[in-house]
Amino acid sequence: MSGQVRVAVLGCGAIGSLYAAHLARLPGVEVWAVDPWREHVDAVNEHGLRVTGRADFVAPVRALPDAGGLPPCELGIVATKAAHTADAVAAARAALGDAGVVSLQNGLGNEEVVAGVLPRVMRGTIVTAGTVTEPGVVRYDAPGDSWIGPFEPAPARAGEIALLARLLTDGGLVTHAVADARGPQWTKVVFNAATSPLAALTGLTVGQVCTDAGLREQVDRLVAEALAVCAAAGIALTRDPGESVAEAIREAYHHKPSMLQDVRARRPTEIGVLNGGIAAEGRRAGVPTPAHDAMVALVRGLERSWTGS
């Protein structure tokens, strides 16, 4: 690789931290991370960003509590919660105005928000998992490939997509540059939307949800509705959702999805971009999604129960 590549990572939670660290370990790559958690930012600047678990290294990431000091970058990664996308991207507009920017967020609709501010956008899908265990330290829990491709209404350049995929792969996170990234994205969304809200509503792990007879009926119903939406929208999944369910039971039985973690912490969930995203696409395609609509109503009702609104 010739020359220096500067990458901005917006959101330095578990995923943002993992991707920032793996990129920053490469020679010739300068990584800047933005996150409002001041203790995490200070620890990263003082000691580097440490990765534990399935990898063990420390990477030289430059961290900021806001995007005001972010320099111009060639590439950008958005890894915030969906609710924070608009503010994070708007704050980084000056630094990312001539960058290819990928969303590595959960759900559907984040790319539209990014493209409302920035001109060249990529769809991104990951199955990597991790946890920030203390300021400056992220545990790499589960490996998995990533896929990035152009966001059709405002696509990043092919060279930008290829470069980011190569850098992530060289850094240790296998990433595929694809012409149509909707398939990988929807493959993940269909599974998450069929399991995460049920886990959030019951307090059960993904494996428990998928092996409970009554809840498994609801998982299968949610999957079937989502598949009908995909068929109407011309989206081809890269994997049978049944295989994802079987793998979750076998390899991630005790996994607590982020929506369950948000509910336990009484934080706003991402129900709107998961089940709400499928329901919105269903309306556009003329496909009814009553089960997904019910999940949105139930989880939002749960959220209101602790906010009093």
Side-chain angles (χ1 to χ4, degrees), residues 124-169:
T125 300
I126 64 172
V127 294
T128 310
T131 305
V132 176
T133 56
E134 61 182 281
V137 181
V138 59
R139 188 180 66 230
Y140 184 12
D141 291 331
D145 290 9
S146 303
W147 296 263
I148 58 175
F151 174 58
E152 302 80 10
R157 296 167 182 155
E160 293 169 330
I161 297 170
L163 174 60
L164 181 56
R166 178 167 61 82
L167 292 176
L168 287 169
T169 298

Side-chain angles (χ1 to χ4, degrees), residues 156-241:
R157 296 167 182 155
E160 293 169 330
I161 297 170
L163 174 60
L164 181 56
R166 178 167 61 82
L167 292 176
L168 287 169
T169 298
D170 289 349
L173 298 172
V174 176
T175 303
H176 308 279
V178 295
D180 186 349
R182 295 180 305 160
Q185 183 181 48
W186 273 79
T187 299
K188 179 181 178 180
V189 167
V190 169
F191 171 77
N192 284 349
T195 56
S196 293
L198 293 169
L201 290 165
T202 62
L204 299 176
T205 67
V206 167
Q208 290 171 322
V209 165
C210 293
T211 54
D212 178 278
L215 293 174
R216 179 58 181 268
E217 287 185 15
Q218 302 309 311
V219 170
D220 293 343
R221 183 182 178 196
L222 290 161
V223 167
E225 281 188 3
L227 291 178
V229 172
C230 289
I235 297 167
L237 300 188
T238 58
R239 188 183 197 191
D240 184 331

